[in-house]
Amino acid sequence: MRSVFIEPSFEAWRQQARALLAAAVPPEEVLWSEQGEQAALFPASEAVAPHAVPVAKVSAAFLAIARTAAAHTAPQRWATLYRLLWRLTHGGERHLLSIPTDRDVRTVQEWCKAVRRGVHKMRAFVRFRLVGTDDATGREQFVAWFEPDYPLVRLVAPFFQQRFAGMDWSILTPHECVHWDGATLHFTPGVPRSAAADEDALDELWRTYFRSIFNPARLKVKAMHAAMPKKYWKNLPEAELIPELIAGSEQRVARMLMSEARPAKPAAGNPYLDRLRHMNDSEEPAE
């Protein structure tokens, strides 16, 4: 039995998995552990040293699945991913990923589904707060705090890098933190909630925006809770308005129904559309 201790990351697992695969070590002979776990029982010298021996190639689809599943917190994920890798290569099951009823495939897909759901929520519910301006560059600096269920920072960082490229920002989580300085992404260890910035003027902007788009006539509380679970509310400045808006929704709908209809405003002039209408009016009907 070989004991392999790794940092809990896809990159660390991939490095060791390549070495094991090149050495033709079957999955049943590997005990995967994250660094710090059971260190007293298994000496570190038993870990496999990475080397440059060529290994069998795997599809980009497997690497994408493995990268996503690695962000889950199931302790057996490293062993399951290596077993899938072994079966795809040494096992000769090249089409394994297209068999959704396979136990390993189904398990990994469930992990990926949970992680992708977390990625979606993190993209939607991160709220940046202005903390200052860089004197040298003049770029505004923002900080956000978020508590994901899984260590998702490396999966979502490219999204925020592209979306907020024009400002310096940091996203702090208990698992890991990411920082963008306009040129490079930097990753640091996780921090407690106390390290995040307090409320600022941007919070009031979020509340104003949320209040303005709230439509009581289309309120569906269960659907809203499904899209915005309550566990995220504590970090959303607009969430404190939800009970008040729900409580007053019936009265607002009643007032809307009693109000007289407003006359429709004429469409604003648009030279392009006016030209199209003129062309349509001037065309002769087909015989």
Side-chain angles (χ1 to χ4, degrees):
M1 179 69 68
R2 300 192 185 215
S3 300
V4 178
F5 297 89
I6 62 171
E7 293 285 344
S9 69
F10 168 76
E11 291 75 15
W13 171 85
R14 185 182 185 184
Q15 184 181 52
Q16 285 294 329
R18 286 173 59 88
L20 290 166
L21 201 65
V25 181
E28 59 271 18
E29 294 184 9
V30 183
L31 178 62
W32 294 86
S33 299
E34 296 180 2
Q35 288 186 358
E37 295 181 352
Q38 301 176 329
L41 297 179
F42 303 96
S45 58
E46 295 183 26
V48 178
H51 49 77
V53 178
V55 297
K57 295 182 178 180
V58 293
S59 66
F62 171 77
L63 291 178
I65 290 173
R67 188 182 302 275
T68 303
H72 203 277
T73 53
Q76 69 272 26
R77 65 192 183 283
W78 310 120
T80 303
L81 288 173
Y82 183 64
R83 187 164 57 245
L84 269 182
L85 177 62
W86 177 271
R87 293 174 63 186
L88 286 166
T89 54
H90 289 264
E93 300 179 66
R94 297 183 179 180
H95 304 289
L96 178 60
L97 296 182
S98 62
I99 306 176
T101 55
D102 180 86
R103 182 175 181 179
D104 287 337
V105 174
R106 185 174 66 252
T107 298
V108 171
Q109 291 289 7
E110 289 175 353
W111 291 339
C112 288
K113 183 179 179 180
V115 169
R116 292 190 189 105
R117 186 185 305 114
V119 167
H120 172 73
K121 297 301 183 185
M122 189 168 180
R123 289 176 177 177
F125 298 139
V126 161
R127 297 290 183 265
F128 287 105
R129 290 185 167 95
L130 181 64
V131 296
T133 302
D134 189 289
D135 294 334
T137 64
R139 290 165 59 90
E140 292 182 316
Q141 299 171 317
F142 294 81
V143 172
W145 167 259
F146 194 76
E147 300 176 50
D149 294 330
Y150 308 107
L152 306 175
V153 164
R154 293 181 185 265
L155 293 179
V156 302
F159 168 83
F160 288 100
Q161 175 187 355
Q162 183 178 13
R163 179 66 63 88
F164 303 105
M167 67 187 199
D168 295 344
W169 50 261
S170 296
I171 299 178
L172 312 180
T173 82
H175 305 286
E176 190 177 26
C177 304
V178 58
H179 316 272
W180 169 251
D181 60 7
T184 309
L185 286 172
H186 305 275
F187 298 91
T188 58
V191 297
R193 174 67 178 88
S194 57
D198 293 328
E199 180 176 337
D200 71 348
L202 290 180
D203 287 359
E204 186 57 34
L205 290 178
W206 273 111
R207 286 188 282 267
T208 301
Y209 170 74
F210 188 74
R211 188 182 288 108
S212 67
I213 65 171
F214 181 79
N215 186 348
R218 301 183 62 182
L219 176 63
K220 295 181 180 180
V221 177
K222 290 184 178 181
M224 182 186 64
H225 285 170
M228 186 189 294
K230 282 191 173 182
K231 64 181 179 180
Y232 297 115
W233 289 17
K234 60 185 176 181
N235 296 318
L236 299 176
E238 67 270 27
E240 64 184 47
L241 301 176
I242 293 177
E244 170 194 341
L245 294 174
I246 291 177
S249 60
E250 292 185 5
Q251 292 82 354
R252 288 186 61 188
V253 171
R255 289 196 299 269
M256 291 167 62
L257 294 174
M258 295 176 62
S259 301
E260 296 183 2
R262 298 179 181 178
K265 295 182 179 179
N270 185 303
Y272 175 73
L273 294 179
D274 292 341
R275 188 162 58 252
L276 288 180
R277 294 191 191 97
H278 177 72
M279 293 173 60
N280 291 333
D281 294 342
S282 62
E283 289 182 354
E284 295 183 359
E287 295 182 359

